[in-house]
Amino acid sequence: MTDTSVFDQYPLDQWKEPSHRIMDRFSLAGKKGFVTGGAGGLGRNVAAAWAEAGADVAIVDLPRTKETLEPLAQELAERYGVKVVPLYCDVSDKAQVDALKTSLVDSLGTVDVAFINAGVNVPGDDADEPYEVWQKTIDINLTGAYLTAQIAQHIMREHNHGGSLVFTSSLSAHNANFIAGGPSPVAAYGASKAGIYEYARYLAAALAPYGIRSNAISPGYVWSGIFEGRIVPEAHDMMTAPVPMHRFGTNEEIATAVLFLASDASSYVTGTNLQVDGGYSVY
Ligand code: NAD
């Protein structure tokens, strides 16, 4: 007689359970998370989304952001009734990231969700860029993503539970994004973001046995704060001309995508790259 119990894991109509609520799958109630680049536009909006969804959150950024990070943590904690702690770390520095691991466990207990998001686009990142520009970009964007993902997945495994890693890649990982007159060229930046995407995919395969999912988002142009004062309306129109939706995205439109990937709403999603780019990538 064939044992068919393997099929029992696939319920057909979970909505029929009286207490079932599909929106509960988007909840992070009781979860612990950290966000790198947490003082920035995308980072602080993801921190707010995760806090509203019920998670305790560590907002991680450089010490120079202290004046932003301290009041932000206080505001989120008061508004959403969860624990929110500011932590300071240069993600490209291994010793600092190792110390961050200890601080995360001390302050949150564990980590269930991590938004690996700190990143820079260094001026001069063009075809003939100086070595220093290349090195700084790779150190912060790619090595920083590796270092912070390592501590996240090690904490998850040491505490014997699964989790979700969400990496910030970029449209520039998939597209040369070569716009004369645009905000900044992206030679090393695109390479670093393509590396992040592939690293996220590798971890998806390697960490699935531990119940850890790993995904990337690739934002297109997001009005996160970084373009403020850097582009004129004509540049805005030129940049958004090839975007089917003809506009920038907003920080909240990134936060909702990251909440989906962090939460159980995406429990069967791993190794993917979610383009959040107004359709730019369809061309
Ligand atoms: P942002 O500049 O507002 O945020 C980036 C944050 O990273 C800053 O708070 C900064 O202090 C922090 N940071 C920089 N170097 C760091 C380091 N060594 N250690 C720790 N923190 C460091 O920019 P943003 O628009 O919010 O971008 C967030 C992420 O999204 C970045 O990785 C960026 O490359 C990516 N991205 C942004 C866009 C966009 O259009 N805004 C598009 C695609 C990808």
Side-chain angles (χ1 to χ4, degrees):
M1 184 101 165
T2 310
D3 178 4
T4 59
S5 60
V6 66
F7 303 125
D8 293 347
Q9 64 185 308
Y10 307 119
L12 289 178
D13 291 293
Q14 284 167 278
W15 56 272
K16 288 187 177 177
E17 292 293 324
S19 63
H20 185 78
R21 294 286 178 274
I22 198 155
M23 293 307 288
D24 288 349
R25 300 192 70 125
F26 292 87
S27 170
L28 294 179
K31 303 283 189 192
K32 320 285 179 183
F34 76 88
V35 172
T36 70
L42 271 53
R44 68 175 182 273
N45 280 271
V46 167
W50 285 7
E52 184 184 337
D56 290 338
V57 184
I59 327 176
V60 182
D61 211 304
L62 292 168
R64 68 169 186 228
T65 65
K66 193 170 192 296
E67 280 184 16
T68 309
L69 223 50
E70 305 276 327
L72 173 66
Q74 199 180 339
E75 186 176 357
L76 292 180
E78 283 169 12
R79 189 176 175 121
Y80 298 117
V82 292
K83 185 172 185 178
V84 183
V85 289
L87 294 176
Y88 301 99
C89 173
D90 178 341
V91 298
S92 66
D93 183 316
K94 185 175 184 310
Q96 289 190 38
V97 178
D98 288 344
L100 174 67
K101 183 183 179 202
T102 306
S103 303
L104 285 166
V105 175
D106 287 349
S107 56
L108 299 180
T110 189
V111 165
D112 303 284
V113 289
F115 184 38
I116 312 292
N117 168 71
V120 289
N121 183 191
V122 182
D125 187 16
D126 215 337
D128 295 322
E129 66 191 314
Y131 172 78
E132 292 71 24
V133 172
W134 172 272
Q135 194 66 51
K136 183 175 179 186
T137 306
I138 298 298
D139 283 353
I140 296 174
N141 294 5
L142 187 54
T143 306
Y146 151 76
L147 290 171
T148 44
Q150 283 298 98
I151 62 162
Q153 62 110 344
H154 286 151
I155 294 172
M156 291 167 187
R157 287 164 64 180
E158 283 158 17
H159 290 79
N160 294 310
H161 56 68
S164 175
L165 307 171
V166 185
F167 293 79
T168 304
S169 178
S170 171
L171 169 76
S172 305
H174 316 274
N175 182 322
N177 204 4
F178 190 84
I179 302 179
S184 182
V186 290
Y189 179 85
S192 72
K193 294 295 186 178
I196 286 174
Y197 166 46
E198 199 50 43
Y199 180 56
R201 277 160 47 92
Y202 183 86
L203 290 185
L207 300 179
Y210 304 99
I212 301 170
R213 297 184 295 107
S214 170
N215 291 289
I217 57 161
S218 283
Y221 296 127
V222 181
W223 199 258
S224 66
I226 55 168
F227 294 109
E228 218 118 27
R230 282 181 70 194
I231 62 166
V232 294
E234 292 72 29
H236 167 277
D237 293 350
M238 188 177 65
M239 289 166 70
T240 55
V243 180
M245 293 176 73
H246 294 309
R247 66 171 178 85
F248 278 61
T250 67
N251 288 329
E252 183 152 301
E253 288 172 321
I254 298 299
T256 50
V258 177
L259 176 61
F260 166 70
L261 289 174
S263 70
D264 285 347
S266 60
S267 52
Y268 197 50
V269 181
T270 196
T272 200
N273 167 60
L274 180 53
Q275 307 268 12
V276 192
D277 62 5
Y280 197 158
S281 47
V282 301
Y283 295 128

